[in-house]
Amino acid sequence: MSVPDKYDAHAGALSADSKKNYEKLLNDYTSSLPSYWKFEIVPNFFKQSDEATDPLSFNYLKEDFGRVLSWEETFSKLSELNSNASEDESYKVFFLARHGQGYHNLANSVYGQKEWDRKWSKLNGDGKMVWGPDPELTDLGVSQAVDNNHVWKEQIKKGCKLPTKWFSSPFTRSVDTLIHTWKDIIDLQKEKPLIKEDFRETMGVHTCDKRSTRSFIASKYEPKGFVIEDGFAEEDIYFKDDYRETIEEQSIRLNRSFQFIFDNYDDEVINVTSHSGSIRSQLLVLNHRPFAIGTGGMIPVFVKATKVKN
């Protein structure tokens, strides 16, 4: 994994207008619910939440994932906070992972962001490589996931707790990254990672962000231990050729994902493997500062959730 490049910085950028628009949509969304979780970051546990940390030069692989305290202190504090929390409070540490380089990422770097957005992202390939729909990892993308596997093994020796629940976007590049990252560390058949639609990348226009059918995903990944969430449609009913989801629209569905997690899981340490745009929205939802993530990269976040009743 390298530090984020200019394309990763572009994908992770967030404007003030996007944040304001998200807050308006969030108010409409939450006001219709009997209760909901409000999220915030607990500071001073990971360097990535510190404004002084530069996303474009920070390499979590060489920084013990960015931890400020020892792993023992970090997880001891996590357990202590949950032990003393009211019934309307919950604390979790999320490891938010981005898939390794896919062929669409390679094409983006070959043609440049302007030409990618204007022309190439709307096509399935260029005659030399295929990036849509649902592109595969490149060899570099696989090696980035393997790098994470090696570093996870090092951090476990240093006291890092393993996640106890795993989620993935339904895209091939995301699920394969999860597989290569956790090989020989967990038993997928036992842990049964959940493939969840809402963790997918920004929807629409870009062919790389159109997913495979449910049948294809099931045939490829259910034998390996993955579970597809209930209600998962056979065809990609959300992808539109002529409309690309806004950041704030994507963030509402990511908020829905975290509402689901905090409503249904007591697990304190959770892994989510998804995409740059998805992570951008996840960080917005969790009230974390924007932070660019390179292909194959990962960011840990220490989250406090407070139940609000309408």
Side-chain angles (χ1 to χ4, degrees), residues 83-99:
S83 296
N84 295 326
S86 70
E87 63 178 12
D88 293 329
E89 289 180 350
S90 179
Y91 296 83
K92 298 184 189 296
V93 168
F94 289 91
F95 290 96
L96 307 178
R98 181 185 177 189
H99 63 78

Side-chain angles (χ1 to χ4, degrees), residues 21-33 252 310:
N21 291 336
Y22 166 67
E23 289 171 351
K24 290 177 183 177
L25 285 181
L26 180 63
N27 183 64
D28 293 340
Y29 167 59
T30 56
S31 64
S32 65
L33 303 173
I252 290 298
N310 287 325

Side-chain angles (χ1 to χ4, degrees), residues 228-258:
I228 300 174
E229 69 176 339
D230 293 339
F232 195 88
E234 172 64 16
E235 300 294 335
D236 187 350
I237 58 176
Y238 302 104
F239 184 89
K240 295 180 175 62
D241 292 325
D242 59 353
Y243 180 77
R244 188 148 175 87
E245 184 180 39
T246 66
I247 293 172
E248 43 270 32
E249 289 169 340
Q250 183 176 15
S251 298
I252 290 298
R253 66 174 167 90
L254 268 301
N255 187 293
R256 187 168 62 214
S257 292
F258 286 105

Side-chain angles (χ1 to χ4, degrees), residues 79-128:
S79 296
E80 179 187 337
L81 287 168
N82 276 318
S83 296
N84 295 326
S86 70
E87 63 178 12
D88 293 329
E89 289 180 350
S90 179
Y91 296 83
K92 298 184 189 296
V93 168
F94 289 91
F95 290 96
L96 307 178
R98 181 185 177 189
H99 63 78
Q101 185 194 61
Y103 280 99
H104 62 305
N105 301 122
L106 178 57
N108 190 343
S109 65
V110 168
Y111 292 108
Q113 192 68 50
K114 184 177 180 180
E115 283 301 298
W116 173 255
D117 289 336
R118 185 187 71 84
K119 174 183 178 180
W120 295 105
S121 63
K122 302 175 180 66
L123 304 178
N124 289 335
D126 62 358
K128 299 176 183 177

